[in-house]
Structure formats: C-alpha cells, structure tokens
Amino acid sequence: MAKSALLKSSLGKKYWMALTGLFLCLFLVGHLLGNLQLLSGSKDAALHFNQYALFMTSNPAVKILSYLTYFSILFHAVDGIVLTVQNRKARPKGYVKNNPSANTIWASRNMAVLGTLILVFIVTHMVNFWAKMHFDEKMPLQTVTINAGGTDMEFYLTTNGDYLPKSRVDQNVIEIKNRTEFYDAAAGVKINEGYKDLYKITVAFFKNPDYGLIASILYALAMVVLGFHLYHGFGSAFQSMGVNSPKHSPFIRNFGKAFSIVVPLLFAIIPLYIHFILKV
Amino acid sequence: MNLKLKIWRQKDAKDAGRMVDYNISDVSPDMSFLEMLDVLNEDLNNKGEDPVAFDHDCREGICGMCSLHINGEPHGPDRGITTCQLHMRKFKDGDTIYIEPFRAKAFPVIKDLVVNRSAFDRIQQAGGFISVNTSGNTQDANAIPIQKHNADLAFDAATCIGCGACVASCKNASAMLFVSAKVSQFALLPQGRIEATERVLNMVKKMDEEGFGNCTNTGACEVECPKGISLENIARMNREYLFASLK
Ligand code: HEM
Ligand code: SF4
Ligand code: FES
C-alpha cells in the first residue's frame, strides 16, 4: 500500500506536484542567469552567450539536469491535469451563487488555466529556440567581421579562439560537417569547431520586422502568467510538502511572492530590451 | 426588515431541484438566521406548503449540524461562526439572500438544504480514534506528561465540529481541513502516536474513496471554518502521510 500511496493517493500526487514545481523554479533561476547575458552591452556579448549555449548543450552534468527538467515539465503538467479533472468531478453540481473572492486569491483558483498557458508558451518557446539549437541543419555559426587593411573580412570564431576565414569555406577548402565541425576538405580531418550562433537567432527573432514586436509582447505576457502561477505556487509547494509553521511560513510566503515578481520580470525585460533598445 | 430569499428546493435525492423565490417581511435584526427560516417555515405551514428542510440541532455553534451556503459562502458572510450563530443584523432591509445546500459529490442532497455528511463519519471510523482498554486499569491521563504547546495545538485541532464548511467552501470539495484536524488531534499526543501510521494512511485512503477533491492550498477552508482550524493541520497531515508511506 505504501508504495502505491505515493503515486496514486491525493497526497502523493501533491508531493509530486510540489517537487516538480520547485525543481522547475530552480530551473527558472538557472535559465534566467544564462539569459541575462543577453542584456550585457559588451562587444563580446554574442561570444559569451554562444559559449554558454554550447556549454548547456554539451556538458554531461547539464544533460542530466535538462532531462530532469523535461521530465518535471511533463510530469507536472500531466499530474496537474489529472488533479484538476478529479477536482472538477468532486463537485458535479456547483453553486448558483458563489463568492470565492471572499476567501481565496484569484491565482490560487486558476492554477490549471495558468499552467496550461505556460505549457503552450513552453512548447512555442522550444520550437523557436531549443529545437533550432538542437536539430536545425541551417543553424548559422558565429562569425565576426574584421577590417583588415581597408577591406572587411568575415571570420568564423572557433572554440579554441581561432579565426577561420569564411572565404576558405566558401571556396570549399574547408568543409563544415555535423553542423559545427570544420574539416580540411582535401585531407578529410577535423581541424576546428565553430559556435552555433544562438545569439544571432535570438536577436533576429525579437527584432524581426514582421513578428518581433508581437513576439516580444507575447513573451512578456507569458511571464505575467508565470508570475501569477508562482505567486500562489511557490508557497503552496511548501505547504504540500508539509512545511508550515508560524516560524518559517511568513518568510517562505514572502520569498515566494518576491520570487514570483522578480524572476518573471527579469525574463520579460530581455525580449523587450532586444526589440526596443539593442542596436545591431 | 423585508428580505427576498432564493432557496434551493429539492423534493428528494432524485429530484433535479431548483431555486425558488420567497419574500419574508418583519424580520427582526436580532433573529438568528435559523430563526428567520423558522418564521418562513411557519408561514409555509400555514399556507399548506411544504416547509424548507434544513439541518440544525444545538443552535449554539457546538454540534456542527447546521450548514447552508449563504450568499456564496458556507455559514454566511461572517467569520468564525456557524449558521446558527449568524444574526440577521448582518443583512440589510431589501437584501436578496441566496440559500443553497453544501455542494460536493461526497455530500449528496437528501432534501432541500439537507445533505448527507456521513462520509465524514466513515472517515472517522477509518482511524479517527485511539484504541484503549476500558477494563478498569486505564492509565490516569494526568500521569502522561505532554508539552503545553502540543496540548494546545491538539486541543485546537479537536475543536473541529465536523460541519463540512471546509468541503463546501473548497473549489475542489476537498475534505483536507477536516481530516487533518482529526489526524492532528491524535498525532500531537503520545496516546495517538501508537496508531499514527495506520491512522493517517487509512483516513486519507477513505477520504479519497469517498470522492472528495484534492487540496490545492487555496485556503478557502481556513477562512470559512467556524472553529478557525488552521492550514498548519493540513501541513502536519502531509508530513505524517509522507513519513507513513515511506515506512
Ligand atoms: C516553469 C514552469 C512551471 C513552474 C515553475 C511551476 C510551478 C508550480 C508550483 C511551485 C506549484 C505548486 C505545487 C503545489 O501546490 O504543491 C504548481 C502548481 C500547479 N501547476 Fe505548475 N509550474 C509550471 C508549469 C506548469 C505547467 C506547464 C502546467 C500545465 C498544466 C502546470 C500546472 C499546475 C497546476 C494545475 C498546479 C496546481 C496543482 C495543485 O495544487 O494541485 N504548471 N506549479
Ligand atoms: S475543519 Fe472547520 S469547517 Fe471543516 S468540518 Fe471542522 S469545523 Fe467544520
Ligand atoms: S446547530 Fe449546532 S452548530 Fe449550528
């Protein structure tokens, strides 16, 4: 009984909701710290961001964390929907007159709607960036333009800090294989590796003349939705795990409220900054 | 004062039921809500109509028998009281008052405003007790030292009167506040620790079987509970259950 209780019982499902939800909060912090590099005005901003993106897609420890994140999102969403369906069934006939705002906050009553909107956002977000980074064959590699003796020349930046003239690739002296690897075409040996230019993709996306404005606004709105989800969710997760005492709860609740405002706000600033302020 | 009442009328468990309008005049602000309904029923009786069925017993806030969802809240708009302790001075002349039964799949309507709350009894029977012999050599309760803090918390939990307002107010019709109060009142005392593991597992299992919803920590129950049972009890039950299921 004990084992199945942790999966099937009402409380068991709540533990999983809380654990996955809090893990996703940690994920948000990590993701945010990475994204904030997009705000750096430094001339190496693109390189640093692309180096970070490479690290996030190749480091084995990060791989484990990212699989945990995929699992958490799926489990949290499925479990959340199962719970919500059960909860609907527990009151087949509702009240003619109900006054829920007298005893609850709006966010706490709309976790499923808020969560579903977040899920829609996560899917579109992954199609726009994650899928390109992982699977797009036409993902560009980072280049820099250097003025050498009065003429502009384009170079690929490589992972060991070299500059590889783009013209050599155009002339087929160097071949690109496996999306990022530079090969000596004649000898058939790998000589270097480039950076996938996620920075360029991101900036182009939010600066796109057709949909950049609407994408930036929708992104910011999605962060408002996330903020409401966390405004209730953060503190709620601790209650679900059985952490509630006069000593700790005020701190947890206030921290959760601050978290639910600061984290989504910082996320939302990035696309708006790229669209309205960043010069390229 | 004169009031307009919108009351849920339902002949029996099978009837579909509907809201019916009544006008009531000369209501004294000093009447309790149930006395106001008594006056209405006397009126209906005199006219040869079926009086409105509603639950009540002690009429002093201790038995947990009265219920009613009044203007969108169980036990009405006031805090920390049962319907029998609600007074008409909380309303104004000319007000419209909606009166509905507590709604939950686990609390089926029997007639009008009367619902069957025996699901709570079955949850109690699943573990809301301690097993002691009454053979004459029972230990003197005062011989067992208990921290004042825990004794107070256990007593607070034990003040739950099983009225079901927590279920009625919860958007998920969850019975967690009630069950957690019953779990807590024993879990906090040494006498209750002996059966603590099976108690929490069995009571939660029964709660789920009876068709109550899952808690989403909205906190409506704590606000509406006439006895001020705290959400800390739910957290305590969550801890108890977690450790019990890992055993
Ligand atoms: C980054 C994304 C997300 C984060 C950080 C997050 C975080 C949280 C947290 C901390 C809770 C509180 C858990 C508890 O009360 O024990 C929660 C609850 C909930 N989440 Fe999410 N969530 C996210 C995405 C989603 C998604 C995609 C869904 C999809 C449907 C969803 C649906 C729900 C629902 C329905 C609840 C309420 C469950 C309950 O209290 O029973 N969430 N979330
Ligand atoms: S917890 Fe409060 S609202 Fe729920 S049954 Fe007990 S006394 Fe009534
Ligand atoms: S009738 Fe006993 S509590 Fe209201």
Side-chain angles (χ1 to χ4, degrees):
Chain A
M1 148 148 191
K3 289 283 161 332
S4 70
L6 278 184
L7 269 181
K8 292 199 198 117
S9 71
S10 54
L11 268 62
K13 291 200 202 76
K14 289 291 310 194
Y15 300 143
W16 287 107
M17 250 358 243
L19 281 178
T20 50
L22 285 179
F23 180 77
L24 289 175
C25 288
L26 278 180
F27 153 76
L28 286 180
V29 173
H31 192 8
L32 176 63
L33 291 178
N35 286 10
L36 282 176
Q37 298 177 72
L38 288 164
L39 291 181
S40 120
S42 109
K43 68 176 173 29
D44 288 333
L47 178 62
H48 290 156
F49 185 72
N50 289 337
Q51 281 174 336
Y52 159 76
L54 176 63
F55 174 76
M56 293 306 281
T57 43
S58 56
N59 183 287
V62 174
K63 261 237 154 81
I64 295 172
L65 283 180
S66 63
Y67 281 112
L68 263 177
T69 306
Y70 307 145
F71 167 83
S72 290
I73 293 172
L74 279 179
F75 201 98
H76 187 87
V78 171
D79 208 24
I81 289 163
V82 169
L83 281 167
T84 305
V85 169
Q86 284 181 342
N87 291 344
R88 289 275 164 83
K89 283 195 192 143
R91 177 167 294 133
K93 181 156 183 56
Y95 295 107
V96 174
K97 166 113 180 151
N98 203 7
N99 187 13
S101 54
N103 50 37
T104 46
I105 60 165
W106 182 84
S108 75
R109 282 179 267 130
N110 291 283
M111 291 299 276
V113 177
L114 294 167
T116 307
L117 289 174
I118 298 172
L119 190 63
V120 171
F121 169 77
I122 293 176
V123 171
T124 28
H125 187 70
M126 285 178 82
V127 169
N128 290 335
F129 300 107
W130 176 87
K132 280 202 184 120
M133 188 70 190
H134 280 81
F135 308 118
D136 189 0
E137 290 298 331
K138 292 196 285 291
M139 179 87 188
L141 298 179
Q142 188 183 356
T143 58
V144 281
T145 307
I146 293 174
N147 191 298
T151 48
D152 278 347
M153 275 187 66
E154 235 185 320
F155 293 90
Y156 284 109
L157 280 182
T158 67
T159 51
N160 60 3
D162 281 350
Y163 294 81
L164 209 82
K166 189 163 182 293
S167 53
R168 301 261 296 280
V169 175
D170 296 338
Q171 295 154 4
N172 293 328
V173 180
I174 291 176
E175 265 184 336
I176 301 177
K177 290 188 183 169
N178 301 327
R179 302 173 61 207
T180 57
E181 292 167 9
F182 296 111
Y183 274 74
D184 184 323
V189 282
K190 182 177 160 185
I191 51 171
N192 227 324
E193 191 155 351
Y195 289 110
K196 290 182 193 166
D197 203 350
L198 188 63
Y199 182 88
K200 185 176 175 183
I201 295 273
T202 308
V203 170
F205 182 82
F206 289 115
K207 275 213 177 291
N208 182 293
D210 296 328
Y211 57 75
L213 177 64
I214 187 83
S216 305
I217 291 173
L218 284 178
Y219 188 110
L221 285 179
M223 291 306 108
V224 174
V225 170
L226 178 65
F228 276 107
H229 196 75
L230 294 178
Y231 192 79
H232 172 69
F234 193 94
S236 172
F238 284 88
Q239 164 80 7
S240 296
M241 295 307 298
V243 181
N244 181 348
S245 74
K247 216 159 93 198
H248 308 113
S249 298
F251 173 77
I252 294 172
R253 236 168 283 147
N254 291 333
F255 184 86
K257 284 175 185 171
F259 187 94
S260 72
I261 294 167
V262 172
V263 171
L265 184 70
L266 288 175
F267 267 117
I269 285 174
I270 297 165
L272 297 174
Y273 166 82
I274 292 175
H275 185 81
F276 290 109
I277 298 171
L278 183 71
K279 301 248 181 335
V280 278
Chain B
M1 21 183 210
N2 298 325
L3 298 166
K4 190 168 178 187
L5 305 178
K6 287 178 176 287
I7 303 181
W8 183 260
R9 299 305 308 263
Q10 181 173 339
K11 255 196 200 58
D12 53 37
K14 295 214 183 68
D15 184 23
R18 71 213 180 285
M19 296 300 278
V20 177
D21 291 2
Y22 297 93
N23 289 308
I24 183 164
S25 44
D26 299 326
V27 174
S28 154
D30 296 329
M31 279 179 183
S32 80
F33 199 83
L34 296 186
E35 280 166 342
M36 184 273 294
L37 287 180
D38 290 337
V39 171
L40 174 75
N41 275 347
E42 227 164 288
D43 225 39
L44 292 176
N45 262 333
N46 289 342
K47 285 195 256 175
E49 290 177 37
D50 195 20
V52 179
F54 61 90
D55 266 327
H56 60 104
D57 191 4
C58 71
R59 297 213 178 189
E60 53 184 4
I62 54 174
C63 74
M65 198 60 209
C66 59
S67 56
L68 306 187
H69 204 254
I70 302 164
N71 275 351
E73 290 178 74
H75 297 305
D78 218 351
R79 295 285 169 253
I81 56 159
T82 52
T83 294
C84 59
Q85 296 170 296
L86 177 66
H87 282 86
M88 296 314 293
R89 51 180 167 270
K90 285 285 156 193
F91 300 91
K92 294 191 308 287
D93 186 41
D95 272 2
T96 301
I97 307 178
Y98 286 78
I99 310 172
E100 297 175 70
F102 283 180
R103 293 282 186 202
K105 181 170 163 240
F107 286 171
V109 174
I110 297 170
K111 182 179 170 139
D112 294 340
L113 303 171
V114 178
V115 296
N116 184 344
R117 284 170 281 179
S118 59
F120 270 14
D121 301 338
R122 292 188 289 276
I123 294 174
Q124 278 287 63
Q125 284 154 11
F129 51 80
I130 58 167
S131 311
V132 282
N133 291 326
T134 50
S135 54
N137 48 8
T138 319
Q139 196 176 1
D140 176 18
N142 290 324
I144 304 170
I146 297 168
Q147 276 186 14
K148 168 89 170 96
H149 179 65
N150 284 346
D152 285 349
L153 289 176
F155 189 82
D156 287 348
T159 58
C160 163
I161 54 178
C163 65
C166 41
V167 175
S169 66
C170 175
K171 80 174 180 59
N172 314 317
S174 166
M176 294 271 285
L177 195 64
F178 165 77
V179 181
S180 72
K182 299 304 171 196
V183 165
S184 287
Q185 85 182 61
F186 295 115
L188 285 157
L189 302 176
Q191 293 94 325
R193 290 310 316 170
I194 299 157
E195 293 155 301
T197 302
E198 308 109 78
R199 175 178 306 111
V200 72
L201 291 175
N202 291 337
M203 287 182 84
V204 169
K205 184 160 170 255
K206 194 75 207 164
M207 170 181 91
D208 290 351
E209 280 168 11
E210 291 289 346
F212 292 104
N214 310 285
C215 177
T216 47
N217 306 325
T218 69
C221 53
E222 183 184 52
V223 175
E224 299 293 351
C225 172
K227 297 298 160 187
I229 302 293
S230 152
L231 287 182
E232 281 168 37
N233 290 296
I234 297 186
R236 181 177 301 107
M237 175 165 83
N238 292 349
R239 286 198 294 279
E240 289 276 322
Y241 189 84
L242 183 58
F243 291 121
S245 29
L246 291 174
K247 266 187 193 161

